[in-house]
Amino acid sequence: MTDALSIARDLLRCPSVTPADAGALAVLENLLGGAGFEVHRVTFSEPGTADIDNLYARIGTSAPHISFAGHTDVVPAGDEAAWSHGAFSGDVKDGFLYGRGAVDMKGGIACGVAAVLEYLADHGGTPKGSISFLITGDEEDIAVNGTIKLLRWVAARGEKFDHCVLGEPSNVEQLGDCIKVGRRGSLSGTLYVDGIQGHVAYPHRAANPVPDIASLIVALSNEPLDRGSAQFQASNLEFTSVDVGNKAGNVIPGQARAKFNIRFNDHHSQETLRALVEQRMTKAAGNRIRARIAWEPSNANVFVTKPGAFTDLAVAAIEQVTGRQPELSTGGGTSDARFIASYCPVIEFGLVGQTMHAIDERAPVSDLEKLTKIYRGVLDRYFD
Ligand SMILES: [Zn+2]
């Protein structure tokens, strides 16, 4: 059975809670291998983390090459007794498919596979260019042995991606309301202000870092980083904690620190942003305040797929099936698209995200059928 519902049920019945695979990738390996794909199972390791299974399958050798990306791992079921249907049952009731991963994102993968198999069957078994699946078992947790390494592994084979569709649940309320075309970057740091510890009764012998860090926090919070860009809201610097670790009421502390996070748009890179914030800090500190920032490493760079032929064909396929004109959004949290964006333009379009990670995660069967038609529409237009 190669319809989206059957494939989704086979996937849902594998309890592939990160880092377990539980047979999920074998379901895809059998289907894709049977359809003529060259299938690779690749295991990645990292000291201190679990080994993770990944799958890369490709059919065709020529360009253009479109890849469907996704993850078969899921978050834990939570209280399984609270589910109306078993979290790994794949039960269908009243038009809904129940199970952990139904929308995030085994359902999306099933629709991609069903659409591709249907497309191949209608075209003598081979695409005009190449189609691949880039599937990881390491997205929901720390994501170090997954997409980031699989992309590198494929690139090392000399293969190139032209475009990618990541089947994460991008829609907010209804199928067709949203394509994710980018995400803001994320950068965190700690601001330190050094003073001189002393007795509160003798402040002239001490230097209190508390009012000084307060003035720096105000200065850095008040000045906007930008006013937004064509596809993004304004960047934002947000302080999340202030600490002196001082238990004594009669001691002026020697140091104060404050943590902050910045969500930044395509006006900045991590490097330019670090320079900008440090420059503002130095200016606000003047000659008197001794301040510095320790930056945390970040692999969450800003990325965006600009509107063009690829987004246009996705929008057309979505409109034809749903009658909706999707918003091209850059909102929300992070996903593996941040890694894929370094290799080719990527869009995220999948099911509706409302029940993801929740008890009774479920997808309307009619949405699975429609999403399969949308992916098929993307393929028809892509290879037209
Ligand atoms: Zn997901």
Side-chain angles (χ1 to χ4, degrees):
M1 298 290 277
T2 59
D3 63 289
L5 178 60
S6 306
I7 300 170
R9 297 181 86 178
D10 287 344
L11 290 172
L12 288 179
R13 286 169 181 155
C14 306
S16 52
V17 177
T18 328
D21 169 63
L25 290 178
V27 170
L28 301 178
E29 181 175 11
N30 291 338
L31 281 167
L32 297 171
F37 278 76
E38 189 182 319
V39 185
H40 304 269
R41 294 282 296 271
V42 201
T43 303
F44 294 120
S45 330
E46 185 91 18
T49 68
D51 287 2
I52 300 282
D53 290 335
N54 297 272
L55 178 148
Y56 175 66
R58 176 171 174 163
I59 191 165
T61 51
S62 56
H65 174 192
I66 185 169
S67 189
F68 287 84
H71 62 89
T72 46
D73 62 320
V74 294
V75 296
D79 179 7
E80 287 199 51
W83 286 67
S84 342
H85 303 273
F88 301 101
S89 66
D91 280 355
V92 175
K93 185 83 202 285
D94 298 330
F96 285 89
L97 170 65
Y98 283 80
R100 176 58 80 230
V103 297
D104 184 13
M105 56 165 282
K106 289 172 170 176
I109 292 174
C111 294
V113 171
V116 167
L117 295 183
E118 195 187 289
Y119 174 87
L120 292 174
D122 290 348
H123 291 81
T126 44
K128 277 191 197 167
S130 302
I131 304 172
S132 67
F133 285 88
L134 188 82
I135 309 291
T136 181
D138 189 21
E139 197 274 345
E140 294 289 7
D141 197 9
I142 49 175
V144 297
N145 290 317
T147 301
I148 191 167
K149 287 186 179 170
L150 193 56
L151 286 161
R152 227 178 276 149
W153 183 88
V154 174
R157 292 167 49 84
E159 297 189 37
K160 282 195 173 58
F161 299 99
D162 293 304
H163 296 90
C164 181
V165 178
L166 176 59
E168 289 281 4
S170 59
N171 298 283
V172 183
E173 302 276 346
Q174 288 177 300
L175 193 70
D177 65 21
C178 189
I179 300 178
K180 293 251 165 82
V181 294
R183 296 286 167 90
R184 290 185 295 173
S186 174
L187 185 61
S188 295
T190 305
L191 170 67
Y192 290 90
V193 171
D194 290 314
I196 299 170
Q197 188 176 322
H199 196 297
V200 287
Y202 304 92
H204 55 284
R205 291 184 197 152
N208 192 344
V210 175
D212 289 344
I213 201 165
S215 71
L216 295 189
I217 288 171
V218 170
L220 290 174
S221 299
N222 278 357
E223 198 176 347
L225 292 165
D226 54 65
R227 291 191 176 73
S229 70
Q231 290 175 274
F232 286 91
Q233 63 193 105
S235 303
N236 181 50
L237 184 156
E238 205 67 37
F239 278 91
T240 53
S241 80
V242 188
D243 305 281
V244 291
N246 185 8
K247 291 191 175 69
N250 59 354
V251 174
I252 292 170
Q255 188 187 67
R257 56 191 182 275
K259 285 184 188 284
F260 62 89
N261 174 264
I262 305 171
R263 294 297 158 109
F264 60 96
N265 63 30
D266 53 349
H267 281 307
H268 310 272
S269 66
Q270 290 192 32
E271 292 69 33
T272 62
L273 194 58
R274 279 198 285 260
L276 176 66
V277 172
E278 285 180 10
Q279 181 203 330
R280 288 182 178 183
M281 177 200 71
T282 304
K283 186 166 161 245
N287 291 326
R288 192 181 57 79
I289 302 177
R290 289 183 294 150
R292 67 192 155 86
I293 292 172
W295 297 97
E296 286 169 27
S298 164
N299 60 9
N301 284 313
V302 57
F303 72 91
V304 66
T305 296
K306 305 256 188 242
F310 186 53
T311 55
D312 286 352
L313 70 84
V315 168
I318 292 163
E319 263 194 296
Q320 191 181 30
V321 175
T322 67
R324 291 187 188 94
Q325 167 107 40
E327 178 200 352
L328 301 183
S329 160
T330 56
T334 187
S335 77
D336 276 353
R338 70 194 146 145
F339 305 130
I340 299 166
S342 307
Y343 293 82
C344 69
V346 54
I347 59 171
E348 288 175 65
F349 188 78
L351 291 163
V352 179
Q354 267 165 350
T355 60
M356 61 180 175
H357 296 204
I359 298 286
D360 278 346
E361 180 173 350
R362 62 196 179 279
V365 174
S366 59
D367 276 8
L368 294 173
E369 289 160 3
K370 283 183 200 152
L371 182 58
T372 306
K373 285 202 181 99
I374 291 168
Y375 287 153
R376 174 66 200 268
V378 167
L379 289 167
D380 288 341
R381 288 168 174 83
Y382 192 76
F383 292 116
D384 192 17

